[in-house]
Amino acid sequence: MLLGMAVVVALAMSTPAQQLFLVGHVGGCATIALIGAGAFSIDARRHGRRVIQLQTNVPDRGAGD
């Protein structure tokens, strides 16, 4: 949230060339937030969340299958 407010302030105090760069940066950050890994991404909400549990096999007890 704080970083978003800093970008808004930077947009207001920058030149037109810098504004284009900041708008592109915001677009890239939004893209990563929406389609990136994580529980709150669009991917996770659309395809479901999966939990992978890894179990270690103790050599002297066998696989435990």
Side-chain angles (χ1 to χ4, degrees), residues 1-27:
M1 202 67 171
L2 185 62
L3 195 55
M5 290 187 300
V7 169
V8 169
V9 170
L11 276 171
M13 300 185 316
S14 60
T15 65
Q18 291 171 334
Q19 288 175 349
L20 288 174
F21 176 73
L22 287 171
V23 168
H25 181 70
V26 169

Side-chain angles (χ1 to χ4, degrees), residues 41-60:
S41 67
I42 289 177
D43 254 4
R45 292 185 184 267
R46 185 170 181 195
H47 300 292
R49 299 176 189 158
R50 295 191 180 116
V51 176
I52 299 172
Q53 297 178 353
L54 301 175
Q55 297 177 354
T56 59
N57 293 331
V58 181
D60 57 338

